[in-house]
Amino acid sequence: MKRFSGFNLIGEAFRSHQGWPEHWPDKAPKASYDAIIVGAGGHGLGAAYYLAKKYGITNVAVIEKGWLGGGNTGRNTTIIRSNYLYDESAHLYDHAVKLWDGLSQELNYNIMYSKRGVLMLAHNVHDVQSFKRHIHANRLNGVDNEWLTPEECKAYCPPLDISPRTRHPVLGGALQRRGGTARHDSVAWGYARAASALGVDIIQNCAVTGIRRGADGAIEGVETERGFIASRRVGVSAAGSTSLVMKMAGLDFPLESYPLQALVSEPVKPIFPCVVMSNTVHAYMSQSDKGELVIGAGTDQYTSYSQRGAFHIVEHTLAAICEIFPIFTRMRMLRTWGGIVDVTPDRSPILGKTPVKGLYVNCGWGTGGFKATPGAGDLLAYTIAHDAPHAINAPYNLDRFRNGRLIDEAAAAAVAH
Amino acid sequence: MLLIHCPYCEEARPEVEFVYGGEAHIARPIDPSAFSDAEWEKLLYIRSNPRGRHHERWRHTHGCGRFFNAVRDTVTDVFETTYKAGEARK
Ligand SMILES: Cc1cc2nc3c(=O)[nH]c(=O)nc-3n(C[C@H](O)[C@H](O)[C@H](O)COP(=O)(O)OP(=O)(O)OC[C@H]3O[C@@H](n4cnc5c(N)ncnc54)[C@H](O)[C@@H]3O)c2cc1C
Ligand SMILES: [Zn+2]
């Protein structure tokens, strides 16, 4: 890996930038690895990077059925925040937010983390009470989150319409100033490049088609489109496809896969200074550095693997956006797309060991796992390296669906988040 | 938007008239107090989530108001068939 630095940039400028090597070489799979990660999204690539970096396990392969970052990592609206209600959640998401800080330097790759603040709008009495409860709970956990009056919301985000006569009146908002956005593709590329430099093989266009278990039930390796690859440790980070991969190991999972859509407008000059979310009306928005308004919708109602959703979902979201931000009523939309999100019954992820020896899982991030990318990668690596979960991800075990210790952010937020 | 055939109204209507009801043919326990934790887990939380044929419930909320079952392909989203509640799994 050739490091990015001012010095190297100037040097390359004299050679028409012909001297930069490829970010990550395309590798053919070896016969065996010390650990295999299934799925080259941000989470899987992050796990491989931290395995190599923190635990010295460098003989690692990341196996991806498509191209790296082509799953939800490359399809999401990149909102980062950690103001979740429950203690377990605050610890988990804030662990990630702390890692976002300094990640560009650590990876020597600009992931464009921008702490522009995430403002969540309250439109009714229930929202006001629920957000204030979140703010108090967050403060106890050392997570910043503050209440803004409608006028303060307007000052923070001028395009907002706070007149009381709108269809979705703004009664206030919860602002997490450390929240913001990062460039999704760069996160995948940065981790891939840094992991590859430490010796990790990234194998793309190679779907995992089976999981081989020995006579004692323990993991022996994975069957792929390019043959069998042996490993005693396999970490699955396959997002919307996790149920399918787990079935290969004989496990039934508490997951359902739903389409989630997003869209962008044509690029315009900087107009929108922060991230605004409105859970009640299922709309959220920010502006990318390219200038597009990035808009996210709610999930479609039915399960699907089609990576596309219905238009009425988009229409519903845009109707809400036009009400809350009348300035954008004549904005033209450029494109829409969908990803498949893996949703658990309590809307909290599953990150830990499985009943199969040597098989680890990181899934169930649903509609909100981009913000957790560095944290999930770090904790999956820890769990694989120690064959035991870290204290932060210990509550996110599979057993909770049997013993009832759910981490019910679904009930806390009343919507997907 | 999906077009969904309601087996009661005998008509294909737009998806916005319907509410999705989750996986179909999940039988409730006859004797709940005899259910083990593992059986509760399976009943409440474990879902087949297949890629391909999926048996699911829909409710014609803005029509006849009734629940019915459907078989839909989760890759193409095309409905294979819909049938009345109480009929055998197709
Ligand atoms: C429209 C949309 C908007 C979103 N907005 C936000 C947001 O604003 N903030 C936020 O925090 N989160 C958001 N999310 C959620 C977020 O994108 C995901 O939770 C997160 O990116 C998951 O990362 P991942 O690396 O686990 O998954 P992915 O990036 O999906 O990676 C999983 C990879 O596994 C691969 N794979 C699957 N099966 C196999 C197989 N059999 N063999 C090999 N490889 C396989 C896939 O091809 C894929 O590349 C959004 C999601 C969507 C779809
Ligand atoms: Zn009907």
Side-chain angles (χ1 to χ4, degrees):
Chain A
M1 178 177 101
K2 180 164 178 174
R3 284 186 65 81
F4 292 120
S5 66
F7 182 76
N8 278 340
L9 260 179
I10 293 165
E12 281 302 323
F14 288 107
R15 307 197 267 157
S16 307
H17 293 280
Q18 297 299 302
W20 298 108
E22 53 189 350
H23 276 7
W24 51 86
D26 203 14
K27 288 283 176 65
K30 291 191 262 183
S32 83
Y33 289 94
D34 293 340
I36 287 176
I37 305 287
V38 181
H43 290 213
L45 291 164
Y49 168 75
Y50 291 113
L51 271 175
K53 174 86 183 181
K54 285 182 139 176
Y55 307 110
I57 304 172
T58 55
N59 186 24
V60 175
V62 185
I63 302 177
E64 165 59 49
K65 72 172 175 192
W67 64 96
L68 70 85
N72 293 342
T73 298
R75 294 165 188 266
N76 79 92
T77 50
T78 76
I79 299 174
I80 296 171
R81 62 185 183 89
S82 62
N83 48 357
Y84 285 73
L85 181 66
Y86 293 109
D87 294 352
E88 295 89 345
S89 316
H91 297 155
L92 180 69
Y93 290 98
D94 213 47
H95 175 60
V97 168
K98 285 176 184 144
L99 286 173
W100 282 112
D101 251 331
L103 193 59
S104 289
Q105 285 74 14
E106 168 160 7
L107 299 179
N108 182 235
Y109 204 91
N110 189 0
I111 55 140
M112 298 162 80
Y113 173 38
S114 153
K115 286 183 255 190
R116 57 187 68 181
V118 175
L119 177 62
M120 299 170 80
L121 298 179
H123 297 294
N124 51 44
V125 175
H126 169 83
D127 284 352
V128 173
Q129 292 173 345
S130 146
F131 286 1
K132 287 192 171 169
R133 182 180 175 212
H134 274 72
I135 289 170
H136 295 313
N138 290 155
R139 193 177 302 157
L140 290 175
N141 277 314
V143 174
D144 74 302
N145 197 10
E146 64 194 83
W147 179 254
L148 300 192
T149 63
E151 293 71 30
E152 288 168 334
C153 290
K154 173 88 182 163
Y156 197 74
C157 184
L160 198 59
D161 181 1
I162 58 164
S163 77
R165 281 204 303 278
T166 62
R167 183 165 157 217
H168 310 296
V170 175
L171 303 185
L175 172 66
Q176 184 174 30
R177 291 185 192 270
R178 278 189 310 150
T181 57
R183 169 127 158 75
H184 49 4
D185 293 329
S186 293
V187 175
W189 298 337
Y191 273 124
R193 173 170 169 270
S196 178
L198 293 170
V200 171
D201 284 0
I202 296 165
I203 299 155
Q204 303 180 69
N205 297 310
C206 179
V208 169
T209 53
I211 291 182
R212 196 186 285 180
R213 297 172 59 181
D216 59 347
I219 289 291
E220 291 191 333
V222 296
E223 311 282 355
T224 75
E225 290 176 328
R226 289 155 81 174
F228 176 72
I229 309 173
S231 183
R232 300 228 161 257
R233 288 181 284 194
V234 173
V236 176
S237 195
S241 299
T242 305
S243 293
L244 308 174
V245 178
M246 284 302 159
K247 254 175 226 157
M248 297 172 192
L251 299 177
D252 292 322
F253 253 58
L255 285 176
E256 287 190 299
S257 299
Y258 291 93
L260 180 65
Q261 302 181 74
L263 62 156
V264 291
S265 73
E266 55 187 7
V268 290
K269 288 190 174 166
I271 173 87
F272 203 74
C274 58
V275 181
V276 172
M277 303 180 65
S278 173
N279 288 349
T280 313
V281 295
H282 286 300
Y284 38 102
M285 183 155 84
S286 64
Q287 187 174 20
S288 74
D289 291 333
K290 261 193 290 181
E292 305 147 326
L293 295 180
V294 181
I295 299 172
T299 59
D300 280 75
Q301 51 176 341
Y302 50 83
T303 60
S304 179
Y305 288 88
S306 62
Q307 288 194 321
R308 55 191 287 190
F311 196 72
H312 67 268
I313 303 283
V314 171
E315 195 181 4
H316 172 82
T317 294
L318 285 176
I321 294 281
C322 289
E323 276 290 329
I324 302 171
F325 307 105
I327 187 179
F328 295 132
T329 47
R330 281 175 298 157
M331 187 73 111
R332 282 176 297 194
M333 294 300 141
L334 207 57
R335 54 200 167 86
T336 71
W337 65 89
I340 298 301
V341 296
D342 43 334
V343 176
T344 59
D346 61 0
R347 303 294 186 277
S348 288
I350 303 167
L351 210 183
K353 297 173 68 164
T354 70
V356 176
K357 189 169 168 9
L359 184 65
Y360 309 88
V361 71
N362 166 54
C363 68
W365 291 95
T367 58
F370 176 73
K371 61 176 73 65
T373 302
D378 182 43
L379 295 167
L380 180 59
Y382 182 101
T383 307
I384 294 174
H386 295 84
D387 190 33
H390 188 278
I392 296 176
N393 65 308
Y396 293 90
N397 53 48
L398 260 177
D399 295 341
R400 73 179 192 267
F401 301 102
R402 185 165 301 186
N403 62 29
R405 283 193 62 89
L406 301 184
I407 305 162
D408 209 346
E409 289 292 338
V415 288
H417 45 264
Chain B
M1 191 184 306
L2 304 177
L3 262 186
I4 305 176
H5 183 266
C6 173
Y8 294 102
C9 300
E10 294 181 342
E11 215 180 313
R13 306 290 304 169
E15 182 194 335
V16 284
E17 288 188 12
F18 299 82
V19 170
Y20 181 68
E23 188 167 352
H25 301 296
I26 297 177
R28 307 239 172 136
I30 305 286
D31 181 7
S33 54
F35 241 40
S36 69
D37 287 355
E39 284 169 311
W40 279 118
E41 178 190 22
K42 191 161 181 295
L43 172 77
L44 293 175
Y45 301 130
I46 304 292
R47 293 293 176 262
S48 61
N49 200 22
R51 187 183 161 88
R53 285 185 98 228
H54 187 229
H55 290 78
E56 59 197 24
R57 302 188 306 165
W58 286 87
R59 182 169 179 233
H60 195 183
T61 329
H62 299 291
C64 60
R66 303 183 74 168
F67 273 101
F68 58 91
N69 292 325
V71 182
R72 184 178 50 92
D73 187 309
T74 60
V75 181
T76 59
D77 291 335
V78 172
F79 282 92
E80 184 182 306
T81 180
T82 58
Y83 52 101
K84 292 176 180 164
E87 286 178 26
R89 186 185 175 95
K90 298 234 160 133

